[in-house]
Amino acid sequence: MTRVRSEQSRRVRDLTWGIGHQDTTAYGQVCETVIDREEAASLTRCLAILSPVQREAIDLAYYTGLTYVDVAHRLGIPVPTAKTRIRDGIKKLGTCLKN
């Protein structure tokens, strides 16, 4: 998604400032920063809609790089339960981020 927005941002920037204009670098950096902040704010908002157990499982899997088995062991739950929490949480995040 970031790559698509980045490409779209580049095209808009080129049309607005003219290809090769000297100020496009500064303008592009500002655009990228704004987009990154918007995406971070959206992700934070969407993480808040997850249940605590989904958020915990996703945090362990994605931010610390644990496998399903590792997440299950760390939380003291069966592996299928860990998979379900992560899968359901990702579905909620996907739906939320599309809005």
Side-chain angles (χ1 to χ4, degrees):
M1 178 171 264
T2 301
R3 177 169 261 154
V4 171
R5 286 188 180 173
S6 176
E7 181 63 25
Q8 180 181 3
S9 174
R10 184 193 61 77
R11 282 189 301 234
V12 170
R13 181 178 58 247
D14 288 347
L15 290 173
T16 302
W17 290 91
I19 297 173
H21 191 276
Q22 293 176 353
D23 292 338
T24 58
T25 301
Y27 178 78
Q29 290 172 346
V30 170
C31 286
E32 291 299 319
T33 299
V34 169
I35 289 169
D36 289 346
R37 286 182 182 168
E38 287 177 359
E39 288 176 349
S42 293
L43 182 59
T44 300
R45 178 180 49 83
C46 291
L47 283 169
I49 69 165
L50 298 178
S51 71
V53 294
Q54 289 172 335
R55 195 168 33 255
E56 181 180 35
I58 288 174
D59 182 55
L60 290 171
Y62 288 91
Y63 296 115
T64 61
L66 297 180
T67 65
Y68 289 124
V69 174
D70 295 335
V71 170
H73 288 308
R74 177 80 59 95
L75 297 177
I77 58 176
V79 174
T81 302
K83 287 182 178 182
T84 299
R85 288 179 184 178
I86 293 168
R87 183 191 66 237
D88 291 348
I90 289 172
K91 283 182 183 179
K92 278 186 183 179
L93 286 175
T95 300
C96 180
L97 290 170
K98 288 179 185 176
N99 297 329

PDB file of all heavy atoms in Angstrom, residues 58-78:
ATOM      1  N   ILE A  58      -0.905 -10.626  17.991  1.00  0.00           N
ATOM      2  CA  ILE A  58      -0.335  -9.949  16.822  1.00  0.00           C
ATOM      3  C   ILE A  58       0.956  -9.239  17.191  1.00  0.00           C
ATOM      4  O   ILE A  58       1.931  -9.266  16.436  1.00  0.00           O
ATOM      5  CB  ILE A  58      -1.367  -8.983  16.202  1.00  0.00           C
ATOM      6  CG1 ILE A  58      -2.458  -9.806  15.504  1.00  0.00           C
ATOM      7  CG2 ILE A  58      -0.707  -8.013  15.229  1.00  0.00           C
ATOM      8  CD1 ILE A  58      -3.607  -9.001  14.971  1.00  0.00           C
ATOM      9  N   ASP A  59       0.970  -8.613  18.344  1.00  0.00           N
ATOM     10  CA  ASP A  59       2.186  -7.943  18.809  1.00  0.00           C
ATOM     11  C   ASP A  59       3.353  -8.929  18.893  1.00  0.00           C
ATOM     12  O   ASP A  59       4.444  -8.644  18.408  1.00  0.00           O
ATOM     13  CB  ASP A  59       1.934  -7.295  20.169  1.00  0.00           C
ATOM     14  CG  ASP A  59       3.160  -6.556  20.674  1.00  0.00           C
ATOM     15  OD1 ASP A  59       3.670  -5.686  19.947  1.00  0.00           O
ATOM     16  OD2 ASP A  59       3.594  -6.848  21.811  1.00  0.00           O
ATOM     17  N   LEU A  60       3.114 -10.077  19.469  1.00  0.00           N
ATOM     18  CA  LEU A  60       4.171 -11.081  19.593  1.00  0.00           C
ATOM     19  C   LEU A  60       4.609 -11.614  18.232  1.00  0.00           C
ATOM     20  O   LEU A  60       5.797 -11.803  17.981  1.00  0.00           O
ATOM     21  CB  LEU A  60       3.713 -12.238  20.485  1.00  0.00           C
ATOM     22  CG  LEU A  60       3.562 -11.912  21.966  1.00  0.00           C
ATOM     23  CD1 LEU A  60       2.899 -13.070  22.703  1.00  0.00           C
ATOM     24  CD2 LEU A  60       4.915 -11.595  22.582  1.00  0.00           C
ATOM     25  N   ALA A  61       3.643 -11.836  17.344  1.00  0.00           N
ATOM     26  CA  ALA A  61       3.968 -12.411  16.041  1.00  0.00           C
ATOM     27  C   ALA A  61       4.663 -11.416  15.114  1.00  0.00           C
ATOM     28  O   ALA A  61       5.650 -11.764  14.460  1.00  0.00           O
ATOM     29  CB  ALA A  61       2.701 -12.934  15.375  1.00  0.00           C
ATOM     30  N   TYR A  62       4.178 -10.206  15.077  1.00  0.00           N
ATOM     31  CA  TYR A  62       4.672  -9.268  14.069  1.00  0.00           C
ATOM     32  C   TYR A  62       5.733  -8.309  14.571  1.00  0.00           C
ATOM     33  O   TYR A  62       6.613  -7.923  13.827  1.00  0.00           O
ATOM     34  CB  TYR A  62       3.506  -8.505  13.436  1.00  0.00           C
ATOM     35  CG  TYR A  62       2.723  -9.420  12.547  1.00  0.00           C
ATOM     36  CD1 TYR A  62       1.642 -10.138  13.041  1.00  0.00           C
ATOM     37  CD2 TYR A  62       3.103  -9.634  11.231  1.00  0.00           C
ATOM     38  CE1 TYR A  62       0.940 -11.024  12.230  1.00  0.00           C
ATOM     39  CE2 TYR A  62       2.425 -10.517  10.425  1.00  0.00           C
ATOM     40  CZ  TYR A  62       1.337 -11.207  10.925  1.00  0.00           C
ATOM     41  OH  TYR A  62       0.675 -12.082  10.141  1.00  0.00           O
ATOM     42  N   TYR A  63       5.632  -7.902  15.800  1.00  0.00           N
ATOM     43  CA  TYR A  63       6.600  -6.923  16.298  1.00  0.00           C
ATOM     44  C   TYR A  63       7.809  -7.569  16.957  1.00  0.00           C
ATOM     45  O   TYR A  63       8.859  -6.962  17.056  1.00  0.00           O
ATOM     46  CB  TYR A  63       5.933  -5.932  17.249  1.00  0.00           C
ATOM     47  CG  TYR A  63       4.882  -5.102  16.546  1.00  0.00           C
ATOM     48  CD1 TYR A  63       3.553  -5.206  16.896  1.00  0.00           C
ATOM     49  CD2 TYR A  63       5.232  -4.251  15.511  1.00  0.00           C
ATOM     50  CE1 TYR A  63       2.591  -4.457  16.244  1.00  0.00           C
ATOM     51  CE2 TYR A  63       4.278  -3.500  14.847  1.00  0.00           C
ATOM     52  CZ  TYR A  63       2.959  -3.603  15.223  1.00  0.00           C
ATOM     53  OH  TYR A  63       2.005  -2.873  14.568  1.00  0.00           O
ATOM     54  N   THR A  64       7.654  -8.820  17.427  1.00  0.00           N
ATOM     55  CA  THR A  64       8.809  -9.507  17.997  1.00  0.00           C
ATOM     56  C   THR A  64       9.252 -10.686  17.127  1.00  0.00           C
ATOM     57  O   THR A  64      10.250 -11.314  17.427  1.00  0.00           O
ATOM     58  CB  THR A  64       8.533  -9.999  19.436  1.00  0.00           C
ATOM     59  OG1 THR A  64       7.450 -10.923  19.417  1.00  0.00           O
ATOM     60  CG2 THR A  64       8.202  -8.841  20.354  1.00  0.00           C
ATOM     61  N   GLY A  65       8.478 -10.977  16.074  1.00  0.00           N
ATOM     62  CA  GLY A  65       8.883 -11.984  15.106  1.00  0.00           C
ATOM     63  C   GLY A  65       8.696 -13.425  15.542  1.00  0.00           C
ATOM     64  O   GLY A  65       9.327 -14.325  14.992  1.00  0.00           O
ATOM     65  N   LEU A  66       7.821 -13.669  16.502  1.00  0.00           N
ATOM     66  CA  LEU A  66       7.600 -15.039  16.956  1.00  0.00           C
ATOM     67  C   LEU A  66       6.713 -15.798  15.970  1.00  0.00           C
ATOM     68  O   LEU A  66       5.860 -15.223  15.311  1.00  0.00           O
ATOM     69  CB  LEU A  66       6.941 -15.045  18.340  1.00  0.00           C
ATOM     70  CG  LEU A  66       7.733 -14.424  19.488  1.00  0.00           C
ATOM     71  CD1 LEU A  66       6.942 -14.504  20.789  1.00  0.00           C
ATOM     72  CD2 LEU A  66       9.083 -15.093  19.651  1.00  0.00           C
ATOM     73  N   THR A  67       6.892 -17.108  15.909  1.00  0.00           N
ATOM     74  CA  THR A  67       6.051 -17.979  15.086  1.00  0.00           C
ATOM     75  C   THR A  67       4.758 -18.261  15.841  1.00  0.00           C
ATOM     76  O   THR A  67       4.623 -17.946  17.027  1.00  0.00           O
ATOM     77  CB  THR A  67       6.750 -19.316  14.802  1.00  0.00           C
ATOM     78  OG1 THR A  67       6.911 -20.015  16.043  1.00  0.00           O
ATOM     79  CG2 THR A  67       8.100 -19.108  14.134  1.00  0.00           C
ATOM     80  N   TYR A  68       3.796 -18.898  15.146  1.00  0.00           N
ATOM     81  CA  TYR A  68       2.552 -19.295  15.812  1.00  0.00           C
ATOM     82  C   TYR A  68       2.850 -20.163  17.039  1.00  0.00           C
ATOM     83  O   TYR A  68       2.257 -19.979  18.097  1.00  0.00           O
ATOM     84  CB  TYR A  68       1.651 -20.112  14.870  1.00  0.00           C
ATOM     85  CG  TYR A  68       1.015 -19.332  13.760  1.00  0.00           C
ATOM     86  CD1 TYR A  68       1.197 -19.719  12.435  1.00  0.00           C
ATOM     87  CD2 TYR A  68       0.201 -18.240  14.015  1.00  0.00           C
ATOM     88  CE1 TYR A  68       0.589 -19.030  11.395  1.00  0.00           C
ATOM     89  CE2 TYR A  68      -0.414 -17.545  12.984  1.00  0.00           C
ATOM     90  CZ  TYR A  68      -0.219 -17.944  11.685  1.00  0.00           C
ATOM     91  OH  TYR A  68      -0.820 -17.268  10.665  1.00  0.00           O
ATOM     92  N   VAL A  69       3.753 -21.109  16.863  1.00  0.00           N
ATOM     93  CA  VAL A  69       4.113 -22.022  17.954  1.00  0.00           C
ATOM     94  C   VAL A  69       4.727 -21.238  19.115  1.00  0.00           C
ATOM     95  O   VAL A  69       4.371 -21.450  20.283  1.00  0.00           O
ATOM     96  CB  VAL A  69       5.079 -23.118  17.461  1.00  0.00           C
ATOM     97  CG1 VAL A  69       5.574 -23.969  18.615  1.00  0.00           C
ATOM     98  CG2 VAL A  69       4.404 -23.980  16.396  1.00  0.00           C
ATOM     99  N   ASP A  70       5.619 -20.297  18.799  1.00  0.00           N
ATOM    100  CA  ASP A  70       6.239 -19.475  19.839  1.00  0.00           C
ATOM    101  C   ASP A  70       5.200 -18.630  20.567  1.00  0.00           C
ATOM    102  O   ASP A  70       5.244 -18.493  21.791  1.00  0.00           O
ATOM    103  CB  ASP A  70       7.313 -18.558  19.249  1.00  0.00           C
ATOM    104  CG  ASP A  70       8.494 -19.317  18.676  1.00  0.00           C
ATOM    105  OD1 ASP A  70       8.745 -20.459  19.121  1.00  0.00           O
ATOM    106  OD2 ASP A  70       9.164 -18.769  17.776  1.00  0.00           O
ATOM    107  N   VAL A  71       4.280 -18.048  19.804  1.00  0.00           N
ATOM    108  CA  VAL A  71       3.218 -17.229  20.413  1.00  0.00           C
ATOM    109  C   VAL A  71       2.386 -18.094  21.349  1.00  0.00           C
ATOM    110  O   VAL A  71       2.085 -17.701  22.480  1.00  0.00           O
ATOM    111  CB  VAL A  71       2.328 -16.571  19.335  1.00  0.00           C
ATOM    112  CG1 VAL A  71       1.090 -15.936  19.948  1.00  0.00           C
ATOM    113  CG2 VAL A  71       3.113 -15.534  18.540  1.00  0.00           C
ATOM    114  N   ALA A  72       2.025 -19.274  20.882  1.00  0.00           N
ATOM    115  CA  ALA A  72       1.217 -20.177  21.700  1.00  0.00           C
ATOM    116  C   ALA A  72       1.942 -20.537  22.998  1.00  0.00           C
ATOM    117  O   ALA A  72       1.342 -20.498  24.089  1.00  0.00           O
ATOM    118  CB  ALA A  72       0.876 -21.441  20.917  1.00  0.00           C
ATOM    119  N   HIS A  73       3.216 -20.877  22.896  1.00  0.00           N
ATOM    120  CA  HIS A  73       3.987 -21.225  24.098  1.00  0.00           C
ATOM    121  C   HIS A  73       4.099 -20.039  25.038  1.00  0.00           C
ATOM    122  O   HIS A  73       3.941 -20.182  26.249  1.00  0.00           O
ATOM    123  CB  HIS A  73       5.373 -21.747  23.729  1.00  0.00           C
ATOM    124  CG  HIS A  73       5.365 -23.109  23.125  1.00  0.00           C
ATOM    125  ND1 HIS A  73       4.734 -24.196  23.692  1.00  0.00           N
ATOM    126  CD2 HIS A  73       5.918 -23.569  21.973  1.00  0.00           C
ATOM    127  CE1 HIS A  73       4.892 -25.257  22.941  1.00  0.00           C
ATOM    128  NE2 HIS A  73       5.608 -24.915  21.868  1.00  0.00           N
ATOM    129  N   ARG A  74       4.382 -18.874  24.492  1.00  0.00           N
ATOM    130  CA  ARG A  74       4.545 -17.672  25.309  1.00  0.00           C
ATOM    131  C   ARG A  74       3.255 -17.332  26.058  1.00  0.00           C
ATOM    132  O   ARG A  74       3.277 -16.924  27.211  1.00  0.00           O
ATOM    133  CB  ARG A  74       4.962 -16.505  24.418  1.00  0.00           C
ATOM    134  CG  ARG A  74       5.105 -15.155  25.101  1.00  0.00           C
ATOM    135  CD  ARG A  74       6.425 -14.960  25.850  1.00  0.00           C
ATOM    136  NE  ARG A  74       7.589 -15.079  25.039  1.00  0.00           N
ATOM    137  CZ  ARG A  74       8.242 -14.084  24.466  1.00  0.00           C
ATOM    138  NH1 ARG A  74       7.815 -12.855  24.608  1.00  0.00           N
ATOM    139  NH2 ARG A  74       9.318 -14.316  23.750  1.00  0.00           N
ATOM    140  N   LEU A  75       2.095 -17.532  25.386  1.00  0.00           N
ATOM    141  CA  LEU A  75       0.811 -17.194  26.004  1.00  0.00           C
ATOM    142  C   LEU A  75       0.199 -18.355  26.775  1.00  0.00           C
ATOM    143  O   LEU A  75      -0.820 -18.182  27.452  1.00  0.00           O
ATOM    144  CB  LEU A  75      -0.172 -16.706  24.930  1.00  0.00           C
ATOM    145  CG  LEU A  75       0.226 -15.428  24.189  1.00  0.00           C
ATOM    146  CD1 LEU A  75      -0.790 -15.105  23.106  1.00  0.00           C
ATOM    147  CD2 LEU A  75       0.364 -14.271  25.170  1.00  0.00           C
ATOM    148  N   GLY A  76       0.788 -19.546  26.624  1.00  0.00           N
ATOM    149  CA  GLY A  76       0.252 -20.717  27.323  1.00  0.00           C
ATOM    150  C   GLY A  76      -1.090 -21.173  26.767  1.00  0.00           C
ATOM    151  O   GLY A  76      -1.972 -21.587  27.509  1.00  0.00           O
ATOM    152  N   ILE A  77      -1.226 -21.077  25.430  1.00  0.00           N
ATOM    153  CA  ILE A  77      -2.466 -21.474  24.766  1.00  0.00           C
ATOM    154  C   ILE A  77      -2.145 -22.477  23.658  1.00  0.00           C
ATOM    155  O   ILE A  77      -0.993 -22.585  23.233  1.00  0.00           O
ATOM    156  CB  ILE A  77      -3.202 -20.253  24.158  1.00  0.00           C
ATOM    157  CG1 ILE A  77      -2.300 -19.523  23.150  1.00  0.00           C
ATOM    158  CG2 ILE A  77      -3.676 -19.300  25.248  1.00  0.00           C
ATOM    159  CD1 ILE A  77      -2.955 -18.367  22.429  1.00  0.00           C
ATOM    160  N   PRO A  78      -3.150 -23.228  23.179  1.00  0.00           N
ATOM    161  CA  PRO A  78      -2.912 -24.152  22.063  1.00  0.00           C
ATOM    162  C   PRO A  78      -2.535 -23.382  20.783  1.00  0.00           C
ATOM    163  O   PRO A  78      -2.975 -22.245  20.578  1.00  0.00           O
ATOM    164  CB  PRO A  78      -4.246 -24.862  21.882  1.00  0.00           C
ATOM    165  CG  PRO A  78      -5.000 -24.646  23.144  1.00  0.00           C
ATOM    166  CD  PRO A  78      -4.509 -23.349  23.706  1.00  0.00           C
TER     167      PRO A  78
END
